[in-house]
Amino acid sequence: MKSISTQYGPLTPQHTSDDLRQREILPVEYYPSGAIKSIPLEKQTIIETPVGTIPSELVSFHENGVINRIFPLNGKLSGYWSQEDEFELAESITIPTPIGRITAKLLSISFHENSAIRSFTLWPGETVSTPTAKGPIATRIGVSFTPEGVISSLEPANPISVQTVAGEITAFDPDAIGVNGDYNSLGFNTNEEVIRVTTTLTKLTAIHPDGRTSIFTPEYRESWCGDTEEEVVPMMVRFLDDSVKVQTNPDLPAVTIPRKGAAFFTEPYLPQLAQPFGQLKCSV
């Protein structure tokens, strides 16, 4: 199989498969312009990236040729090969990041078009300590950064109280999915002020300029565990320059409250006390 030339050296696309991890041959993908978009590799290959040498089984590119995302492993999960099997193959990697050097088992590392690191994604069960203006935060799933190297978002590993323009909110998303660490439930602006937070443990009260009061709490849904069980739905709150947006149902639009003339208050909200007969047995 002929190698493909990239600015990171020649890379050999996958052209064979095996019975366990690689049960099919994945195609090389191209942009409409003809530039390489992604290359599944024949074997794990050491690639010199902006954060050092990374072993890779799959690499994708921006149209300008800069690495978009690099995957150390790319096994296909099936009845023959589990996530646990793949995790056992994963090795800890040390990379420099805007928050310092981190060492962990990484699902992927992504980069902006200027080659600055955009995010890193952790294997399930892996955590790192992320230093922030709010103090160190134990982080799962991943952390993302702006092209200038400022923290953009992270996924808290445990419930943590953060200060917002509406008051203290306990940040935690039990439904967070670790596909990648590009966009996480706790988001910051370039001054590291909270602009997005997901919670199941905070009640938000808004008093409008005309005196009306709106109260927002996380909603409930039928649990996947059984017809009689209910579980809490995470509530997302976003802080814009001129408004606060609250979304208690992911299937419905957010409620927008203008900030000018309004007052906001927060307080702890304990779902198990709000619905004592609907205990949360399947998720946090």
Side-chain angles (χ1 to χ4, degrees):
M1 169 63 68
K2 184 178 180 181
S3 295
I4 296 176
S5 178
T6 74
Q7 61 182 265
Y8 305 93
L11 300 176
T12 303
Q14 179 193 3
H15 55 274
T16 63
S17 62
D18 60 51
D19 291 335
L20 290 176
R21 294 189 65 241
Q22 302 287 1
R23 299 179 63 82
E24 60 185 48
I25 298 176
L26 300 175
V28 175
E29 296 185 343
Y30 295 84
Y31 288 100
S33 65
I36 293 291
K37 187 173 185 179
S38 69
I39 307 175
L41 302 176
E42 172 64 10
K43 62 180 181 179
Q44 192 177 66
T45 303
I46 301 298
I47 297 177
E48 185 65 42
T49 77
V51 294
T53 55
I54 303 295
S56 174
E57 291 187 350
L58 173 66
V59 58
S60 66
F61 301 89
H62 292 288
E63 199 162 2
N64 67 358
V66 169
I67 289 177
N68 177 29
R69 194 179 305 275
I70 190 166
F71 298 83
L73 296 177
N74 188 40
K76 181 177 176 61
L77 303 186
S78 68
Y80 301 94
W81 191 258
S82 68
Q83 178 175 293
E84 289 72 23
D85 293 324
E86 192 80 347
F87 180 80
E88 288 301 314
L89 287 182
E91 296 183 354
S92 292
I93 298 172
T94 299
I95 60 172
T97 76
I99 59 172
R101 298 180 72 84
I102 64 108
T103 300
K105 290 188 176 185
L106 300 175
L107 276 171
S108 69
I109 309 164
S110 70
F111 302 89
H112 292 284
E113 290 187 70
N114 68 351
S115 295
I117 186 170
R118 179 175 61 198
S119 72
F120 61 82
T121 305
L122 302 163
W123 269 91
E126 294 282 282
T127 60
V128 297
S129 179
T130 304
T132 74
K134 315 299 177 185
I137 298 177
T139 303
R140 62 188 176 126
I141 297 179
V143 181
S144 66
F145 308 93
T146 69
E148 295 72 36
V150 178
I151 292 178
S152 177
S153 70
L154 61 83
E155 199 62 54
N158 308 294
I160 182 170
S161 179
V162 295
Q163 187 64 43
T164 74
V165 297
E168 287 193 356
I169 294 179
T170 300
F172 187 69
D173 183 0
D175 287 353
I177 300 174
V179 175
N180 63 58
D182 291 357
Y183 185 88
N184 304 289
S185 66
L186 181 56
F188 304 91
N189 62 17
T190 54
N191 295 321
E192 286 199 44
E193 299 166 331
V194 174
I195 58 171
R196 183 179 67 254
V197 60
T198 298
T199 183
T200 59
L201 297 167
T202 299
K203 172 182 176 181
L204 173 64
T205 300
I207 300 178
H208 300 259
D210 61 5
R212 290 182 300 113
T213 298
S214 297
I215 298 175
F216 302 94
T217 59
E219 294 187 358
Y220 292 84
R221 65 187 170 207
E222 183 179 297
S223 169
W224 291 349
C225 290
D227 293 340
T228 61
E229 302 291 342
E230 286 191 326
E231 60 187 7
V232 68
V233 179
M235 179 174 74
M236 178 186 288
V237 186
R238 288 177 289 163
F239 303 99
L240 284 64
D241 290 340
D242 60 351
S243 63
V244 173
K245 293 182 177 290
V246 185
Q247 190 167 21
T248 58
N249 187 323
D251 298 323
L252 297 176
V255 176
T256 300
I257 307 160
R259 287 176 57 174
K260 185 176 181 180
F264 299 90
F265 304 92
T266 59
E267 60 185 282
Y269 176 74
L270 300 179
Q272 66 271 26
L273 298 182
Q275 291 206 358
F277 302 107
Q279 298 298 314
L280 309 179
K281 298 180 180 179
C282 294
S283 62
V284 176

